[in-house]
């Protein structure tokens, strides 16, 4: 009678500052290696959910539900407290989705999680390995702008994050992403080969 061995699952968290290239890195790392949970994608899905939308509309007294993201962006730029109010609603829901994702994929060897505020939200204990994607602020702003982001929003999101140096202390690997995609891929391969 064969004994079934439970595969030792390695949970890899990928984090970094705004527009550092986390998404690109996450997609590359997970491709053909294991499923990817994206916190940003989970948030996008929430905005398609009727219950979530009506809850947020009530909390923030938003009349027009179809323009909910635009209204929230305005409210957040007017008053920073609103971003904390919004996160209090969003974070627990995203965490629940993350838990479900882990359960659904518990038989996989490698699981990847792209979480922008991984360190800020003190989620380090959930991961076996944490990779930090790093890039200079100016370069990140250029990238953010190229995706039609504005300066105020960039600064607001950027200020929500801890300094790179503080975050690096909690991460196992740091990847500087300031050159082209090939350079980034090479650096990521050097790391992931250790765990495959």
């Amino acid at each position: 009678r064969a004994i079934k061995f439970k595969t030792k699952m390695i949970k890899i968290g990928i984090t970094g500052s705004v527009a550092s290239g986390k998404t690109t890195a996450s997609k590359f790392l997970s491709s053909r290696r294991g499923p990817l949970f994206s916190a940003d994608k989970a948030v996008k899905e929430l905005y398609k959910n009727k219950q979530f939308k009506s809850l947020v509309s009530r909390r923030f007294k938003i009349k027009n539900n179809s323009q909910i993201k635009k209204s929230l962006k305005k409210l957040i730029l007017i008053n920073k407290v609103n971003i904390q109010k919004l996160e209090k609603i969003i974070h627990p829901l995203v965490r629940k989705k993350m838990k479900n994702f882990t359960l659904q994929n518990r038989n996989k060897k490698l699981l990847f999680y792209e979480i922008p505020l991984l360190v800020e939200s003190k989620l380090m204990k959930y991961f076996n390995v944490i990779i930090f994607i790093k890039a200079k602020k100016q370069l990140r702003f250029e990238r953010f702008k190229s995706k039609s982001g504005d300066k105020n929003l960039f600064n607001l999101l950027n200020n929500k994050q801890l300094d790179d140096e503080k975050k690096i202390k909690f991460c196992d690997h740091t990847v500087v992403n300031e050159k082209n995609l090939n350079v980034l891929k090479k650096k990521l391969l050097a790391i992931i080969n250790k765990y495959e």
Side-chain angles (χ1 to χ4, degrees):
R1 203 161 55 95
I3 298 166
K4 266 193 177 170
F5 287 101
K6 190 182 178 304
T7 50
K8 177 85 180 81
M9 181 170 66
I10 301 173
K11 294 190 282 186
I12 298 175
I14 300 141
T15 192
S17 302
V18 183
S20 57
K22 294 180 295 294
T23 306
T24 308
S26 304
K27 282 178 182 164
F28 174 71
L29 281 172
S30 76
S31 67
R32 301 192 298 280
R33 288 185 189 91
L36 170 66
F37 173 84
S38 157
D40 286 349
K41 203 173 152 201
V43 172
K44 274 186 188 136
E45 282 163 13
L46 283 175
Y47 281 102
K48 291 174 188 163
N49 178 309
K50 277 195 181 114
Q51 282 168 303
F52 172 77
K53 274 161 75 167
S54 63
L55 169 68
V56 171
S57 299
R58 283 200 310 277
R59 280 286 157 87
F60 289 93
K61 298 179 177 61
I62 293 168
K63 301 279 189 290
N64 183 357
N65 231 345
S66 64
Q67 296 287 314
I68 194 161
K69 271 184 162 175
K70 260 189 182 161
S71 310
L72 283 170
K73 196 170 150 183
K74 272 183 195 154
L75 288 167
I76 284 165
L77 288 172
I78 292 163
N79 186 347
K80 283 179 192 159
V81 173
N82 286 324
I83 200 164
Q84 285 150 1
K85 253 168 82 178
L86 184 61
E87 282 173 349
K88 276 204 175 92
I89 303 169
I90 289 176
H91 285 178
L93 296 170
V94 171
R95 224 164 274 192
K96 199 173 159 191
K97 281 179 183 252
M98 187 171 100
K99 250 189 188 150
N100 291 341
F101 167 85
T102 307
L103 280 171
Q104 282 163 358
N105 296 290
R106 59 183 176 269
N107 56 350
K108 301 275 199 296
K109 189 191 169 196
L110 294 178
L111 287 187
F112 297 88
Y113 301 78
E114 182 198 344
I115 306 194
L117 297 170
L118 191 153
V119 177
E120 290 81 352
S121 305
K122 298 187 172 48
L123 298 174
M124 289 81 79
K125 64 178 184 288
Y126 293 104
F127 306 101
N128 307 95
V129 181
I130 300 171
I131 300 171
F132 182 70
I133 311 293
K134 184 181 189 304
K136 287 188 196 84
K137 187 179 173 185
Q138 189 53 40
L139 181 62
R140 293 189 290 106
F141 175 56
E142 296 300 328
R143 287 174 186 162
F144 189 78
K145 218 165 56 177
S146 73
K147 290 180 183 167
S148 67
D150 64 59
K151 195 170 186 174
N152 291 338
L153 189 62
F154 174 81
N155 287 332
L156 184 80
L157 295 171
N158 195 56
N159 292 338
K160 279 209 61 52
Q161 301 195 319
L162 280 172
D163 275 0
D164 285 0
E165 299 316 311
K166 282 180 187 155
K167 276 203 277 204
I168 286 167
K169 287 176 190 160
F170 298 101
C171 302
D172 303 282
H173 304 279
T174 300
V175 175
V176 178
N177 178 27
E178 294 175 345
K179 300 250 171 39
N180 58 33
L181 191 58
N182 286 336
V183 175
L184 175 66
K185 285 180 176 177
K186 263 185 198 150
K187 289 178 180 178
L188 293 170
L189 279 174
I191 293 169
I192 202 67
N193 287 341
K194 295 174 185 166
Y195 303 104
E196 280 187 292

